[in-house]
Amino acid sequence: MKRIFEFGGDVFELAGDSALYWPSQKVLLVSDLHLEKASAYAAGGQMLPPYDSLATIQALAALSQIFLPARIICLGDNFHDCGGERRLGGDAADILSGLIRSTEWIWITGNHDPILEGRWGGSSVTDLKLDDILLRHEAKAGESMPEISGHFHPKFRQMLRGRMVSRRCFVKSDRKLIMPAFGALTGGLDVLDNAIISACDLLQSEIAEALVPVRNGLARFPISKSIALAK
């Protein structure tokens, strides 16, 4: 079953649990890859398994084989820091290079990687307008145009059978769509956190919902300022 929804006057399909396919534009959208996060932590003395970049890029390559996009657009925090491009190597670099050769690849810069060298190809921009929808890393409060962004790594949390279940999710209002982090080694922010409530302009009483990918479809949970304040 296809997991589709409408936003900004167009139709989108969930790709896996953390990406979007935009059929009319033949675009695969991902956000917050945070490539080379483990190596960044290792440089600071905190040792983590060094497989995050490979897992992330393999997952993206698998989606590319399914959806066959003409373009892949990454919505910022592509690398965990500005040195991540230079540290990336091995199979992860080989797979990424192959993906970039086979598609039109666009990096949107984020707060973790404000400057990209273009070491692996593709083009780099601070934001992008496709059709009537803006693409950027972090939602801009008061933006009147429909906007797709990342940055907050939203997660939906709910008690289920006595235990807290946490899932990556998308947050959608009339004019905002915030994507979850795609990276294998990324945390998340509760959808009721004030930062997400503010980013979705819920302080101006706009209604939003959490879109949670499930095996056979898409679960929708309402979010509002009143729910957030009662948290």
Side-chain angles (χ1 to χ4, degrees):
M1 178 186 296
K2 288 188 176 182
R3 301 177 295 175
I4 62 174
F5 63 91
E6 293 185 4
F7 175 76
D10 214 333
V11 174
F12 292 82
E13 180 179 351
L14 295 191
D17 290 342
S18 307
L20 284 178
Y21 183 61
W22 189 350
S24 69
Q25 299 291 326
K26 297 183 179 179
V27 167
L28 184 65
L29 294 169
V30 291
S31 187
D32 296 273
L33 305 179
H34 284 271
L35 298 173
E36 292 304 301
K37 181 175 181 178
S39 64
Y41 273 56
Q46 184 175 348
M47 306 308 293
L48 297 172
Y51 311 116
D52 56 308
S53 295
L54 180 58
T56 298
I57 294 171
Q58 285 177 331
L60 183 51
L63 290 178
S64 181
Q65 290 179 347
I66 294 170
F67 290 92
L68 303 177
R71 283 181 284 188
I72 295 178
I73 302 176
C74 304
L75 301 183
D77 285 0
N78 313 288
F79 294 87
H80 190 66
D81 59 18
C82 289
E85 281 184 278
R86 284 178 272 108
R87 295 196 305 274
L88 186 70
D91 290 342
D94 291 342
I95 297 170
L96 177 61
S97 296
L99 282 172
I100 292 175
R101 286 195 302 269
S102 65
T103 61
E104 179 185 353
W105 189 287
I106 300 175
W107 305 101
I108 291 177
T109 56
N111 57 293
H112 277 258
D113 54 356
I115 300 173
L116 290 173
E117 300 173 359
R119 187 180 184 91
W120 304 106
S123 58
S124 173
V125 298
T126 56
D127 53 41
L128 180 67
K129 181 175 176 288
L130 278 185
D131 203 356
D132 292 320
I133 296 178
L134 287 172
L135 306 176
R136 56 168 49 111
H137 177 60
E138 183 176 356
K140 183 177 179 181
E143 175 62 64
S144 60
M145 290 186 64
E147 172 195 77
I148 302 177
S149 62
H151 182 64
F152 294 106
H153 306 193
K155 284 194 171 184
F156 181 80
R157 295 180 171 90
Q158 186 178 54
M159 290 297 297
L160 183 64
R161 297 176 182 174
R163 60 187 290 264
M164 181 64 72
V165 176
S166 178
R167 294 286 302 274
R168 299 184 189 197
C169 72
F170 300 77
V171 179
K172 184 177 84 71
S173 65
D174 286 343
R175 293 175 293 116
K176 306 286 187 182
L177 178 58
I178 300 176
M179 296 184 60
F182 189 85
L185 192 59
T186 51
L189 195 63
D190 192 292
V191 294
L192 298 181
D193 189 277
N194 284 335
I196 291 179
I197 296 298
S198 178
C200 285
D201 288 339
L202 288 180
L203 299 181
Q204 281 70 49
S205 300
E206 186 168 333
I207 300 300
E209 58 183 349
L211 307 180
V212 183
V214 294
R215 180 177 299 176
N216 296 316
L218 178 63
R220 296 173 181 256
F221 299 90
I223 304 171
S224 70
K225 179 183 177 182
S226 60
I227 292 175
L229 291 175
K231 183 180 67 161

